[in-house]
Amino acid sequence: MGRLVRIGIDVGGTFTKAVLLDNDSHEIIGQVVVPTTHGAEAGVAEGVIDAFRRALGAAGITAADDVVFIAHSTTQATNALLEGDVARVGVIGMGRGAVESRLARSQTVIGDIELAAGRVIASTHTFIRSDEAGADAVRAAVAAVRAQGARVVVASDAFSVDDARAEEQVMAAAAEAGLPATGGHEISKLYGLTIRTRTAVINASILPKMIETAQLTHEAVRQAGITAPLMIMRGDGGVMDLGEVQKRPVLTMLSGPAASVAGALMYLRVSDGIFFEVGGTSTNIGVIRGGQPTIAFAQVGGHRTYISSLDVRVLGIAGGSMVRVASDRIVDVGPRSAHIAGLPYAAFQPAEGMVDPELEPIQPKPGDPRDYVAVRLADGRRVAITTTDAANVLGVVKPGDYSYGDPEAARRAMTPLAARVGLSVEETARRILDVAVGKIVPTIERLVEEYGLEQDQVILVGGGGGASALIPHAAGMLGLEYRIARNAEVISSIGVALAMVRDSVERVMPNPRPEDLLAIRAEAREAAIRAGAHPGTVQVHIEVNPQTQRVRATGWGATEMRARDLLHALGEGEAREIAAKSLKAPAAEVRLVGQTNGHYVFASDVTERSLWVFRSTRHPVRVLDRGGFIKVQRADALVSQTTAGRALDELQRLWGMATSYDGNGVSPPDAYLVLGGQVVDLSGMMAVEYALSVGQSELTGCGPEEAVVVVAARRVQARL
């Protein structure tokens, strides 16, 4: 066996990009870009197949068993919903008892779900009593919806959260009839029959197309002799295997942005920050908190669902956004891009060709305003003026950046625009970036507030080909640090190659007991294993939301056991240097305040003055794993090195000490348990009882003398 490799393929709207990574070092050893094959007979699967074959050839990989992991993101689910390329769904609603059945009947009538103007998911409906239905009644219900044109079935029983047998009976009957089927219990364990049924209908509507595409890709991979399981990216940042995709394809929505975040986290070791995937036309913005992307329930066509995906905000401003001019002022930048207008960027043209540039108003698409501007050259060609051109003029992008072009070409193209608005070329370029970034800043501020990020911890993280055109300027405007991901232009493909198998279980649990949390923990672990994770690698994180009474357990793990760690284990000195850089303190002033066999915990002291009289000291903390990743970074926290047997007592003690009291009431701390190779995140819990219950469930199985570190961070209201 030769060099072991991982293949990641990101399917974008325009291009499909594949990278090959060395399985041990994660270094890129090959990459290819092919057009995304929307119009091909096999759909986007054809581009995926072409990309991985070319990538293997480019890297000289001839032994198929050298490929230990292959995965791809997909636009198929999102595009099918946007374009209305969906199957008619037959909903078979179910309930028990006369009274409950009347309510369940009305709540499972979903009707048509509008996706966009003129595009809907059409559904038909029938109802049966699940406590009275025999095999003949179930088959008759399936036949009834089929007769009404349904190509796929949804089984939705009011009680399936607790007992899925009725839904499974309907799904089996649908399979006998040759119809794909979705059960509400497969999509969510949450109560809320209408939302659960609606989510199942959305999932079912794309089942036929997704099953066909996934099967085509799977067969092509097998024909190439690759035996590693084909994994598909989920919208929450994990991957799942073919079997799971064929049941729950809707979970692949937003898998492209999820892939970018996964890649950036691996390369940049970010704990808390705002992530940007900057393309040519739009930018996806999300939050990284505690080293993980933040997850929310997605909306489809404005309808609430139980689809977990990245909490992503999409803005129509990016690297190719064009300038708009009214009279003698730059009034806007975007949302139309040079890509939409079919024009090249000025910076990517040779400077000697920029002869006699003249400003010219254009209308990128019919119906667009006519105040976008381009430059017509002496030879009749037109080029766009974009944010990337402005960044090249100002030297914001550097040689080697994906966005770097010819600054002189950009300068020459921008000269007539500068003359129109009465500014120098540099002032014009700065104005373009000011307007563009001004549209991004409110979203950053809103996310910082929503997720309670601490100002001195926030880092802007850029991925995508256009990242270096916008992120440095945004960071300068806000006074924040920033990092551009290495290999930003293929960061999504890298994220796919490095992604972990992931699955979540969510339930309504008023006042959960430790045994309840242990049960849902075990369920999440099994869900991750079913999705393709190796049992020996699975970790589970539990979140308790007292306001909604919801408990979410998320399990994740690798697809195979590793002979050694993905990254070499750092010694204390190396880890201290990383912590010191993050803490902005000399390494000599950074203290090791706790450790386990998988983590180091460092702290420093910061003395601050208020009104030049009062002094206070806070204690910033960083928790690093042995690979050098910062898993927790807090501006002020208490830390206790203890054992598993005494950890809950220490958690309760530090919780009380870190709780704040002011005119607005009580503000509990954000707490963490560091045990072995795991960090148990207890942040966001409003009562110590919930934290203790989760802590007790996570400590089960630890020896009483096993090292544990307890961290309790005071909550700080962030303001930018």
Side-chain angles (χ1 to χ4, degrees):
M1 183 175 289
R3 188 181 203 180
L4 301 182
V5 299
R6 305 172 71 84
I7 302 176
I9 305 169
D10 178 55
V11 182
T14 305
F15 295 109
T16 295
K17 302 177 180 180
V19 299
L20 273 76
L21 302 183
D22 182 282
N23 188 53
D24 292 323
S25 69
H26 293 171
E27 291 301 314
I28 295 177
I29 57 175
Q31 58 180 302
V32 297
V33 179
V34 301
T36 297
T37 52
H38 295 291
E41 185 177 345
V44 297
E46 187 168 311
V48 171
I49 295 163
D50 187 26
F52 93 78
R53 285 179 173 162
R54 290 197 195 186
L56 287 174
I61 303 297
T62 56
D65 57 358
D66 288 349
V67 178
V68 297
F69 181 88
I70 179 168
H72 69 86
S73 70
T74 178
T75 60
Q76 197 86 358
T78 302
N79 289 346
L81 293 171
L82 287 175
E83 297 164 9
D85 188 7
V86 292
R88 185 178 182 87
V89 179
V91 179
I92 299 176
M94 291 172 281
R96 303 171 192 173
V99 176
E100 289 85 353
S101 290
R102 281 198 296 270
L103 183 60
R105 180 188 295 270
S106 64
Q107 290 183 340
T108 54
V109 176
I110 300 301
D112 292 347
I113 300 174
E114 184 175 2
L115 301 171
R119 297 186 178 118
V120 300
I121 298 173
S123 70
T124 186
H125 179 270
T126 192
F127 188 85
I128 55 177
R129 285 271 299 269
S130 56
D131 55 344
E132 297 179 352
D136 291 341
V138 170
R139 291 192 187 97
V142 171
V145 296
R146 185 175 206 167
Q148 296 167 15
R151 291 173 49 208
V152 62
V153 170
V154 161
S156 186
D157 178 28
F159 300 94
S160 68
V161 169
D162 303 309
D163 184 352
R165 285 176 295 179
E167 288 186 354
E168 290 169 345
Q169 185 180 9
V170 170
M171 293 170 68
E176 286 178 11
L179 295 176
T182 293
H185 73 280
E186 294 181 306
I187 301 299
S188 176
K189 300 293 187 181
L190 290 175
Y191 297 111
L193 183 58
T194 299
I195 299 177
R196 193 167 71 246
T197 306
R198 181 190 300 133
T199 308
V201 167
I202 294 168
N203 183 76
S205 73
I206 60 175
L207 269 175
K209 177 172 281 294
M210 291 293 291
I211 289 174
E212 179 185 8
T213 301
Q215 194 63 44
L216 282 169
T217 313
H218 174 77
E219 289 171 1
V221 169
R222 290 294 169 262
Q223 287 170 8
I226 295 173
T227 57
L230 173 66
M231 311 298 288
I232 294 87
M233 196 81 190
R234 294 165 50 122
D236 61 6
V239 289
M240 56 186 181
D241 65 13
L242 180 68
E244 287 298 303
V245 172
Q246 291 178 327
K247 289 194 299 185
R248 299 183 292 168
V250 75
L251 297 183
T252 66
M253 284 177 55
L254 294 176
S255 64
S260 290
V261 175
L265 287 173
M266 178 60 72
Y267 266 22
L268 298 179
R269 301 173 176 175
V270 173
S271 178
D272 294 345
I274 307 292
F275 178 80
F276 300 78
E277 183 193 25
V278 186
T281 300
S282 63
T283 295
N284 298 311
I285 305 178
V287 171
I288 298 168
R289 195 167 190 272
Q292 296 290 328
T294 53
I295 306 297
F297 287 136
Q299 291 196 1
V300 175
H303 303 283
R304 291 179 59 204
T305 73
Y306 284 151
I307 303 165
S308 291
S309 66
L310 261 68
D311 184 6
V312 173
R313 317 295 163 91
V314 182
L315 300 182
I317 192 76
S321 297
M322 295 173 62
V323 177
R324 300 173 64 181
V325 175
S327 185
D328 59 353
R329 292 188 308 113
I330 295 172
V331 294
D332 204 356
V333 178
R336 291 301 191 202
S337 70
H339 305 270
I340 299 297
L343 297 176
Y345 295 27
F348 298 151
Q349 305 303 303
E352 57 270 20
M354 295 292 171
V355 178
D356 298 330
E358 293 184 5
L359 204 64
E360 182 177 285
I362 69 165
Q363 185 182 30
K365 288 286 186 182
D368 285 346
R370 297 180 181 273
D371 56 2
Y372 288 89
V373 294
V375 171
R376 184 173 291 278
L377 305 174
D379 60 7
R381 292 182 302 120
R382 289 193 307 184
V383 298
I385 300 174
T386 68
T387 53
T388 296
D389 300 316
N392 272 273
V393 167
L394 294 175
V396 174
V397 292
K398 307 297 182 186
D401 288 343
Y402 189 76
S403 297
Y404 184 77
D406 186 334
E408 181 57 28
R411 172 182 290 276
R412 292 183 186 182
M414 203 169 292
T415 298
L417 174 60
R420 167 72 67 86
V421 299
L423 299 171
S424 69
V425 172
E426 288 76 11
E427 289 169 334
T428 302
R430 190 167 291 107
R431 170 66 180 163
I432 291 170
L433 291 185
D434 283 346
V435 173
V437 170
K439 300 169 76 170
I440 295 174
V441 166
T443 300
I444 297 174
E445 293 175 332
R446 191 158 50 248
L447 288 170
V448 167
E449 183 173 357
E450 283 181 25
Y451 285 99
L453 300 180
E454 298 172 357
Q455 181 176 350
D456 66 341
Q457 313 298 306
V458 175
I459 297 173
L460 304 188
V461 181
S468 56
L470 290 179
I471 306 309
H473 199 78
M477 187 175 286
L478 291 168
L480 298 175
E481 288 187 39
Y482 76 90
R483 298 181 195 170
I484 305 298
R486 196 157 42 104
N487 301 304
E489 68 278 8
V490 290
I491 197 66
S492 294
S493 302
I494 294 169
V496 176
L498 298 177
M500 304 284 272
V501 178
R502 177 185 176 110
D503 210 341
S504 297
V505 178
E506 195 159 7
R507 291 187 181 280
V508 174
M509 287 186 178
N511 303 312
R513 300 165 299 174
E515 53 266 35
D516 299 326
L517 298 174
L518 277 173
I520 194 172
R521 187 179 191 277
E523 191 174 350
R525 184 177 186 277
E526 289 303 312
I529 293 170
R530 283 198 308 273
H534 190 289
T537 69
V538 175
Q539 295 186 38
V540 179
H541 170 55
I542 298 176
E543 304 166 75
V544 178
N545 188 321
Q547 284 76 29
T548 62
Q549 297 185 335
R550 289 177 181 172
V551 178
R552 176 191 289 162
T554 301
W556 68 92
T559 53
E560 81 287 333
M561 289 293 288
R562 304 286 169 80
R564 54 193 178 90
D565 289 339
L566 293 175
L567 298 171
H568 78 282
L570 281 88
E572 181 184 332
E574 293 175 286
R576 185 187 302 275
E577 291 292 338
I578 294 172
K581 183 176 180 180
S582 175
L583 289 163
K584 302 181 180 65
E589 296 179 11
V590 173
R591 307 187 313 278
L592 179 67
V593 292
Q595 63 178 308
T596 68
N597 59 12
H599 289 87
Y600 296 105
V601 183
F602 294 97
S604 65
D605 302 321
V606 177
T607 300
E608 298 172 325
R609 286 185 172 183
S610 177
L611 300 177
W612 301 100
V613 177
F614 301 104
R615 287 180 162 225
S616 61
T617 300
R618 58 183 177 87
H619 309 284
V621 166
R622 301 291 185 268
V623 178
L624 282 75
D625 68 16
R626 297 293 171 120
F629 287 76
I630 298 175
K631 307 301 287 287
V632 177
Q633 55 180 23
R634 300 307 300 256
D636 189 15
L638 303 174
V639 179
S640 174
Q641 173 81 64
T642 184
T643 63
R646 295 186 287 274
L648 295 181
D649 290 338
E650 282 300 282
L651 173 61
Q652 187 158 21
R653 183 179 72 85
L654 294 192
W655 185 285
M657 295 175 63
T659 298
S660 303
Y661 303 87
D662 56 29
N664 297 319
V666 178
S667 180
D670 288 334
Y672 307 86
L673 291 179
V674 184
L675 50 146
Q678 183 180 3
V679 175
V680 180
D681 186 349
L682 304 172
S683 62
M685 296 189 183
M686 300 305 295
V688 69
E689 290 77 18
Y690 291 115
L692 291 171
S693 289
V694 174
Q696 183 174 337
S697 71
E698 294 289 351
L699 289 164
T700 301
C702 294
E705 297 305 314
E706 184 175 330
V708 174
V709 181
V710 181
V711 179
R714 298 180 177 90
R715 293 183 187 175
V716 178
Q717 185 64 40
R719 286 289 183 269
L720 291 177

